[in-house]
Amino acid sequence: MKDILKNHGMSDDLANILSTIDHTTKVTKNSFLFQQGEEVSELYIILSGRIQIGKISPDGRELTLRICSKGDIVGELSVFDENVKYLLNAKVTEDCELAVIKKNTLEEKLLTNNWLAIEFMKIMSFNYRRDQTKFRDLVLHGKKGALYSTLIRLSNSYGVKQKDGILIDIVLTNQELANFCGTSRESVNRLLNELKRNNILSMEKNKIIIHDLQHLKDEINCEDCPLVLCSID
């Protein structure tokens, strides 16, 4: 697991600490690893599978913020704080194996090295910033902008360059796209059809090909944020 974490940009020392796990666990597809409002006691590192991080609005709408996969840290763990609760849901979209680190165990290890504590908090802060940029897009640009922003993020995370554009190499239903946008499937259907008519994108084997990425960026006044922030994974 140490090598997986190092590939995600961690220092050797922090990777060593996070590799000292309490135990591993397996969770099945369509179950929840945790849900908003539950008390935080553990941090998770994905060893295999995928987890969808999102939120349920008071009116029941689902908003998906990101997709986490192998090597990603899952859980809003605020070290040295008491009675912390999850703000988001973690829904398992593929059977997962997870490394589990107890909050108390991690705190004890980080207390012995201030620099590693700072590095860990920076990682947690980065995940928070990435989620906030998604919320910003939803607030500022409405349904249309939310879809365009989501397509740009998907191209950054799963895009494969082709002669006629960028293939988003992941299969998503229109409902799943709608969840990323915090809107209805019907709205996404209508917007996608409009983009198809204007040759901005097309579909191939249930995957999206974006032919004019710049058009999407221009429509939402894209600031060309760093790819690490403008992504889905």
Side-chain angles (χ1 to χ4, degrees):
M1 188 173 73
K2 178 182 174 182
D3 290 338
I4 295 174
L5 294 171
K6 285 172 63 179
N7 288 339
H8 277 59
M10 290 186 194
S11 67
D12 285 350
D13 291 338
L14 183 57
N16 278 332
I17 285 179
L18 294 178
S19 295
T20 309
I21 61 176
D22 287 279
H23 63 278
T24 61
T25 187
K26 293 183 178 181
V27 285
T28 57
K29 182 178 178 179
N30 294 327
S31 62
F32 283 91
L33 178 61
F34 55 78
Q35 292 181 276
Q36 59 194 67
E38 294 178 355
E39 188 170 336
V40 176
S41 61
E42 298 173 333
L43 182 74
Y44 305 94
I45 299 171
I46 301 177
L47 302 178
S48 64
R50 284 183 176 172
I51 292 178
Q52 177 179 290
I53 303 298
K55 194 171 183 67
I56 303 295
S57 67
D59 61 0
R61 286 182 299 158
E62 184 175 350
L63 172 61
T64 301
L65 293 173
R66 62 183 187 272
I67 299 172
C68 298
S69 55
K70 183 176 180 180
D72 286 330
I73 297 175
V74 179
E76 304 130 309
L77 182 53
S78 297
V79 292
F80 316 126
D81 284 346
E82 298 296 330
N83 302 318
V84 180
K85 297 187 183 298
Y86 289 113
L87 300 175
L88 303 169
N89 297 320
K91 184 178 181 180
V92 180
T93 57
E94 290 180 7
D95 290 351
C96 284
E97 183 178 7
L98 303 157
V100 182
I101 303 172
K102 296 290 186 182
K103 181 175 183 287
N104 293 339
T105 301
L106 181 59
E107 287 177 343
E108 289 173 3
K109 293 180 180 297
L110 292 179
L111 277 172
T112 65
N113 190 316
N114 291 337
W115 288 110
L116 292 183
I118 291 172
E119 182 185 349
F120 178 79
M121 286 187 283
K122 284 182 177 178
I123 292 171
M124 293 294 99
S125 175
F126 166 76
N127 287 337
Y128 176 77
R129 286 173 58 206
R130 187 165 54 176
D131 290 343
Q132 289 305 301
T133 61
K134 184 66 183 294
F135 282 124
R136 177 202 64 190
D137 290 345
L138 292 173
V139 171
L140 292 180
H141 302 303
K143 296 176 182 178
K144 180 177 178 180
L147 175 61
Y148 289 10
S149 171
T150 296
L151 292 171
I152 293 168
R153 290 170 185 270
L154 286 167
S155 72
N156 290 335
S157 295
Y158 300 102
V160 178
K161 288 186 178 180
Q162 298 187 329
K163 290 182 180 180
D164 58 344
I166 300 173
L167 170 70
I168 298 178
D169 196 18
I170 184 173
V171 175
L172 293 171
T173 66
N174 285 3
Q175 183 59 61
E176 288 170 327
L177 270 178
N179 291 344
F180 276 111
C181 304
T183 188
S184 67
R185 179 173 56 84
E186 290 76 16
S187 294
V188 166
N189 288 346
R190 176 176 54 79
L191 290 167
L192 286 175
N193 286 333
E194 181 180 321
L195 290 171
K196 290 175 188 175
R197 286 195 299 271
N198 293 324
N199 296 316
I200 305 301
L201 59 75
S202 60
M203 301 292 296
E204 181 179 296
K205 297 180 179 178
N206 295 321
K207 293 181 180 179
I208 295 171
I209 300 176
I210 300 176
H211 303 298
D212 191 349
L213 183 63
Q214 191 58 49
H215 172 83
L216 302 179
K217 291 184 175 183
D218 291 343
E219 286 291 304
I220 62 170
N221 298 314
C222 179
E223 300 171 356
D224 285 320
C225 296
L227 295 184
V228 291
L229 290 179
C230 186
S231 61
I232 289 294
D233 56 359

